[in-house]
Amino acid sequence: MVVVAALALVAACGGPAGDRGDAAFPSGPIRLLVPFVAGGPTDLTSRAYGQFLEHELGQPVLVENKPGASGALATRELISAKPDGHTLALVTAGPWC
């Protein structure tokens, strides 16, 4: 599911930054919020996606671990971020899916 979301982001952006006529996005580093502790499987996966996005978008991707409150801390930070598309969150589907 996360792979699909990352690939959809890259497809929407049109490929590497040098290939697009629109150099406005992304105009700076991308933040990838992870609602789990560092060193776990979700953290390792998010860092691999971060490297992929760095390569495709031509901007650094900063992985930030925000564990706690069953993901609510990372979600709150995502919601309060500037809505410019430079802050993303890696989320997982719960057992209800």
Side-chain angles (χ1 to χ4, degrees):
M1 184 59 95
V2 177
V3 174
V4 174
L7 294 176
L9 173 68
V10 172
C13 292
D19 294 347
R20 297 189 311 272
D22 175 25
F25 183 81
S27 61
I30 304 291
R31 291 176 62 208
L32 179 58
L33 302 174
V34 182
F36 299 99
V37 297
T42 307
D43 177 57
L44 298 175
T45 302
S46 66
R47 292 181 190 279
Y49 290 135
Q51 288 179 347
F52 172 76
L53 290 174
E54 278 185 13
H55 179 265
E56 291 298 316
L57 298 176
Q59 290 290 341
V61 175
L62 310 171
V63 176
E64 295 182 26
N65 297 86
K66 302 284 182 180
S70 298
L73 298 179
T75 303
R76 178 178 290 167
E77 182 139 355
L78 177 67
I79 291 170
S80 65
K82 185 177 176 183
D84 60 1
H86 287 82
T87 304
L88 306 172
L90 182 104
V91 297
T92 60
W96 52 86
C97 292

